[in-house]
């Protein structure tokens, strides 16, 4: 059952990403880089999601001197397919032109991203390569999660600007508000999914494994 919510969470997350892209107000630094690469180099936005994830998995493996985390590529693949699917479906349905319609579109996207991320996280299935890289940088530089994540966002932002990605007010709002929205949805999805997954799970250590995953990959969301 948790695999169903895993896929559902990622599809919800990618729907939100597609809304922010369609809003034309700016996206997260990482998504802006994907769009910039798609426009200037070719391939789809989802294809670049998979390619960059593969590169990051290789970098993570090199930095940690351990085997590549293949499950992270699975997450990236589903994310890439989801982004391309939603962009294709929304391309003709949602094309906001007035500023307030763009704001509404972006706001919906930001909220949906938070809901999808919270749903995906609580399935405790596969790490996201960029989050794994955040933890590796934190460990190597002996800093905290905030500084390591800020460094990664800054690198992606510079790369997105070089590729003329959609950088705007939405980029700043995504960086500032995404964590708050995620924290809002975390307890909600926890109550709903734990009720379902605990009954369907065959592992008696489900809660312990879930908390270990959340602490390792999203320690900033654990209050």
């Amino acid at each position: 059952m948790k695999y169903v919510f895993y896929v559902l969470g990622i599809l919800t997350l990618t729907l939100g990403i597609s809304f922010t892209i369609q809003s034309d107000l700016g996206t997260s630094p990482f998504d802006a880089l994907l769009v910039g690469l798609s426009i200037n180099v070719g391939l789809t936005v989802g294809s670049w999601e998979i390619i960059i994830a593969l590169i990051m998995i290789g970098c993570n493996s090199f930095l940690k001197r351990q085997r590549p985390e293949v499950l992270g590529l699975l997450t990236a693949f589903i994310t890439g397919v989801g982004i391309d699917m939603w962009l294709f479906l929304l391309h003709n349905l949602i094309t906001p032109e007035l500023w307030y319609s763009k704001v509404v579109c972006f706001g919906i996207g930001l909220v949906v991203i938070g809901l999808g991320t919270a749903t995906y996280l609580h399935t405790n299935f596969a790490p996201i390569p960029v989050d794994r890289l955040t933890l590796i940088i934190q460990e190597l530089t002996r800093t905290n999660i905030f500084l390591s994540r800020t460094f990664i966002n800054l690198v992606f932002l510079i790369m997105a600007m070089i590729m003329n990605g959609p950088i705007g007010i939405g980029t700043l709002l995504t960086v500032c508000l995404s964590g708050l929205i995620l924290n809002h949805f975390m307890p909600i999805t926890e109550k709903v999914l734990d009720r379902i997954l605990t009954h369907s799970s065959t592992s008696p250590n489900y809660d312990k494994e879930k908390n270990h995953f959340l602490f390792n990959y999203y320690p900033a969301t654990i209050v």
Side-chain angles (χ1 to χ4, degrees):
M1 178 63 73
K2 75 174 182 178
Y3 304 117
V4 174
F5 285 107
Y6 163 75
V7 175
L8 184 62
I10 293 179
L11 291 179
T12 304
L13 164 65
T14 53
L15 174 61
I17 292 174
S18 300
F19 264 99
T20 61
I21 293 175
Q22 289 295 103
S23 74
D24 198 31
L25 289 179
T27 64
S28 71
F30 181 71
D31 295 327
L33 173 60
L34 300 181
V35 175
L37 286 168
S38 177
I39 294 174
N40 293 283
V41 180
L43 301 178
T44 64
V45 177
S47 298
W48 282 110
E49 164 79 30
I50 299 171
I51 292 171
I52 293 181
L54 182 60
I55 294 173
M56 284 193 291
I57 289 173
C59 290
N60 294 344
S61 176
F62 174 78
L63 291 173
K64 290 291 291 183
R65 290 179 171 79
Q66 62 184 23
R67 292 182 179 180
E69 295 177 312
V70 182
L71 285 179
L73 185 58
L74 173 63
T75 302
F77 177 79
I78 300 175
T79 303
V81 171
I83 291 175
D84 285 345
M85 178 188 72
W86 289 122
L87 285 178
F88 175 78
L89 294 175
L90 296 178
H91 178 69
N92 294 321
L93 293 177
I94 301 177
T95 53
E97 297 181 358
L98 300 176
W99 69 268
Y100 58 83
S101 61
K102 292 183 178 182
V103 171
V104 171
C105 184
F106 177 82
I108 292 173
L110 206 57
V111 171
V112 173
I113 287 174
L115 175 60
T117 304
T119 302
Y120 152 79
L121 280 178
H122 282 295
T123 61
N124 180 22
F125 181 61
I128 299 176
V130 68
D131 294 323
R132 182 59 178 155
L133 180 60
T134 300
L135 291 174
I136 292 175
I137 292 177
Q138 177 204 12
E139 180 182 342
L140 293 177
T141 59
R142 297 181 180 179
T143 57
N144 54 42
I145 288 293
F146 175 77
L147 290 177
S148 59
R149 172 62 74 158
T150 300
F151 171 76
I152 291 177
N153 280 333
L154 182 60
V155 171
F156 283 140
L157 179 62
I158 294 173
M159 295 174 67
M161 293 175 66
I162 293 174
M163 299 305 301
N164 294 318
I167 301 296
I169 184 63
T171 306
L172 178 61
L173 292 174
T174 300
V175 173
C176 295
L177 299 179
S178 57
L180 295 175
I181 295 174
L182 178 60
N183 275 328
H184 172 74
F185 279 114
M186 289 286 277
I188 298 175
T189 56
E190 182 177 19
K191 289 180 181 178
V192 176
L193 296 185
D194 279 1
R195 186 176 304 173
I196 298 173
L197 296 177
T198 301
H199 288 297
S200 62
S201 176
T202 56
S203 171
N205 296 320
Y206 170 74
D207 288 331
K208 182 187 297 185
E209 293 170 355
K210 181 201 70 175
N211 291 331
H212 176 72
F213 174 81
L214 293 176
F215 179 79
N216 278 318
Y217 289 99
Y218 280 83
T221 66
I222 306 300
V223 181

